[in-house]
Amino acid sequence: MRCSQREVFVKREEPTNPEWGKPPSQRTADEYIRHSFVILDKPRGPSSHEVAAWVKKILGVERAGHAGTLDPKVSGVLPIAVAEGTKVLMALSRSDKVYVAVAKFHGDVDEERLRAVLREFQGEIYQKPPLRSAVKRQLRTRRVFSLELLELEGRYAVIKMHVEAGTYARKIIHDIGEVLGVGANMRELRRVAVTCFTEDEAVTLQDVADAYYIWKKYGDDTYLRSVLLPIEEIARHLPKIWVRDSAVDAVCHGAPLAAPGISKFEVPFSKGDIVAMFTLKGELVGIGRALVDSEEVKKMERGAVVRTDRVVMRRGTYPAMWKKGQRAAKT
């Protein structure tokens, strides 16, 4: 699964003052850790909460949080944000997932019939969460983007599923077995992607521990910077808006991003989409919801464009030029 490529629309060419902020690559190792994001390959056994706690302990930070819980028996891609980065975990709140499941059928299954049933389950489906789940058991709809039979041997099948966030893979396997009339249960599950973050770039807990040790012991943060990603990467899959220096601090104070504060932005995006706001140096300021679609933004000279929901940048990183405007308006 890849992130979609978007075009950049330049609303106004704008320089950025080198005295304020810094590109993510120029952060010190301490700053880098506090604004980092880990695509972790969670092992089977511990819970997602335990794994996040271990990352927090290894890196010596006060908090770390994960997106998209994996059950203890499930392995695979678990995005973890560190310290300041936890403020924007909602960037992954609605991300689709890709799993590879091993299903065991309770009777013999014809391959062509199985493939036909898998096609029936693609699209919008109804699901009630299983008995042991963290959410209320009520009927709801979820979208299944694709179900692919990778292998069938005897009564065991390997199935790859690309699904909407909040879809229960175990329930899909159970329901497929019911439709086939033989029953089925899931024997193993691995998450291979969260939106465009795949297992190919995932690292282990040992990688994180080794990278931190090498930096502390030898002062070399090269490995650390390859294992941890800058928090900006958490918005890899989101439409991006680059904010003029003069508007950055207002957004940091929670103000909506207005049209005059925009330098350029990626298209397309729709009203209600989650978008990411960046400085012209490539620093993540925060994320929010688009109040208008991208085509309208092209024509706007004033008015709010994004409702600011989460801010990761510290106030005062850029000068508070918006306060000067307020004082001028009062005089």
Side-chain angles (χ1 to χ4, degrees), residues 53-297:
W54 291 340
V55 169
K56 179 180 74 171
K57 185 176 180 180
I58 289 168
L59 297 176
V61 293
E62 71 280 6
R63 62 186 182 275
H66 62 82
T69 302
L70 288 177
D71 291 340
K73 292 182 180 180
V74 180
S75 67
V77 176
L78 182 67
I80 295 179
V82 178
E84 301 301 322
T86 58
K87 298 173 182 177
V88 288
L89 268 173
M90 70 166 288
L92 297 174
S93 62
R94 297 191 304 181
S95 299
D96 48 318
K97 315 289 194 301
V98 180
Y99 297 92
V100 173
V102 176
K104 182 183 180 181
F105 298 102
H106 304 158
D108 295 333
V109 174
D110 176 74
E111 182 173 336
E112 288 307 310
R113 172 64 177 147
L114 174 56
R115 291 185 185 276
V117 171
L118 292 181
R119 287 193 292 270
E120 290 177 17
F121 274 80
Q122 293 180 156
E124 192 170 72
I125 64 170
Y126 288 97
Q127 262 202 347
K128 180 179 284 189
L131 284 171
R132 290 192 297 176
S133 63
V135 298
K136 186 177 180 181
R137 295 192 71 233
Q138 59 184 20
L139 195 65
R140 57 189 187 175
T141 60
R142 286 295 182 268
R143 179 161 293 278
V144 176
F145 301 104
S146 67
L147 290 175
E148 180 184 356
L149 179 63
L150 300 181
E151 188 177 352
L152 177 64
E153 185 174 331
R155 294 183 177 182
Y156 287 88
V158 181
I159 300 170
K160 186 176 184 179
M161 49 183 75
H162 178 191
V163 297
E164 181 184 357
T167 306
Y168 284 88
R170 186 183 306 277
K171 190 68 169 59
I172 290 179
I173 297 297
H174 173 271
D175 292 347
I176 289 171
E178 292 295 299
V179 172
L180 288 169
V182 297
N185 66 291
M186 190 178 72
R187 300 305 296 270
E188 193 167 339
L189 184 67
R190 177 171 174 79
R191 187 157 69 192
V192 297
V194 174
T195 184
C196 51
F197 304 107
T198 70
E199 62 179 344
D200 294 336
E201 56 185 324
V203 300
T204 65
L205 282 165
Q206 190 63 54
D207 290 328
V208 177
D210 288 347
Y212 187 80
Y213 174 81
I214 290 171
W215 168 56
K216 280 297 189 180
K217 180 73 173 179
Y218 303 105
D220 185 353
D221 62 2
T222 306
Y223 188 28
L224 186 73
R225 291 176 186 268
S226 67
V227 169
L228 305 182
L229 300 175
I231 192 56
E232 284 70 19
E233 284 291 320
I234 203 171
R236 184 190 295 176
H237 61 299
L238 298 178
K240 299 170 182 60
I241 298 177
W242 286 269
V243 182
R244 300 170 67 189
D245 287 2
S246 57
V248 171
D249 194 65
V251 174
C252 290
H253 279 76
L257 175 61
I262 295 174
S263 174
K264 54 186 178 179
F265 56 93
E266 288 185 334
V267 295
F269 61 80
S270 302
K271 181 179 178 179
D273 284 353
I274 298 177
V275 298
M277 295 171 283
F278 284 79
T279 69
L280 293 171
K281 297 181 183 69
E283 306 150 285
L284 180 62
V285 181
I287 58 176
R289 299 234 178 226
L291 300 173
V292 292
D293 63 43
S294 54
E295 286 303 306
E296 190 171 349
V297 180

